[in-house]
Amino acid sequence: MDGNGRWANIRGLPRAEGHRQGVRRSKDVINASVDIGIKALTLYAFSIENWRRPQTEVITLMDLLEMYLKTEIDDLMSKGIAFKVIGNREKLPPEIQFLIRNAEFLTSLNTSMVLSMAISYGGRDEIVRTVRKLARSGVDLSNADESVLESNLDTRDMLPVDLIIRTGGEKRISNFLIWQSAYAELYFSDTLWPDFTQDEFFSAIHNYKQRERRFGAVPHKVSL
């Protein structure tokens, strides 16, 4: 979900307004995903590197996250969406950690789609945290295989990634789901996230369906 700040700068608006518009766009894509039967959607909301942004911007992003967690639960419940968070939660403010746990608990039995938000997330950080967790648990790492690591990642209970969509004109995945995306299809869009409409989202899904190994299939798990 790249391009909120640039979207605001182009329009002479505060970067905070770009992030607010990005939240609105996220809701559109969530609704579109449910409508076409996608079973899992992951949104890269706040990277581990984002902690290095100016403090005022970080506060704005945390405020928007807190507002979302307080106001969107009823909508998630009405649509049957289960909510999860992946990332380094220890870095998050205690109030937001509580709201995340509450949202995950309240929506845990929903089955129409799993909405995962990557918050304070980085692919390398996830792998390092996982290795440290395994070492603390006494696992013999000299004999560990892929399944051991995979079953202890933040995404251990989630579907494999079928499609990664990157907006904003960059053609890289920027430390996002680097383990999970090993066999994912990639789609890059020049559109800044606040302008990424449902129609363009559907175009990305259509592009995915035309690829030979996935022909005719709706992706089960999409990550943006």
Side-chain angles (χ1 to χ4, degrees), residues 12-80:
L13 299 170
R15 289 176 66 86
E17 186 55 36
H19 293 308
R20 291 188 187 95
Q21 182 61 29
V23 171
R24 299 183 191 106
R25 189 59 64 205
S26 299
K27 293 171 68 172
D28 290 342
V29 169
I30 292 167
N31 291 335
S33 298
V34 173
D35 289 344
I36 64 175
I38 289 172
K39 300 306 295 180
L41 176 70
T42 302
L43 301 179
Y44 203 177
F46 188 87
S47 75
I48 198 80
E49 293 82 12
N50 285 161
W51 290 114
R52 298 198 292 265
R53 291 191 176 187
Q55 188 66 17
T56 54
E57 186 171 359
V58 171
I59 291 172
T60 294
L61 290 165
M62 289 297 107
D63 287 346
L64 286 170
L65 175 58
E66 183 175 350
M67 181 182 67
Y68 183 89
L69 292 168
K70 287 180 176 178
T71 62
E72 296 300 317
I73 298 300
D74 287 345
D75 192 51
L76 295 176
M77 292 298 294
S78 69
K79 294 180 172 66

Side-chain angles (χ1 to χ4, degrees), residues 104-121:
E104 290 178 329
F105 173 75
L106 292 174
T107 65
S108 61
L109 298 181
N110 292 343
T111 59
S112 67
M113 186 180 78
V114 176
L115 170 63
S116 304
M117 283 197 179
I119 301 171
S120 188
Y121 177 85

Side-chain angles (χ1 to χ4, degrees), residues 118-131:
I119 301 171
S120 188
Y121 177 85
R124 290 179 177 179
D125 178 75
E126 178 188 24
I127 292 171
V128 170
R129 285 188 289 105
T130 299
V131 171

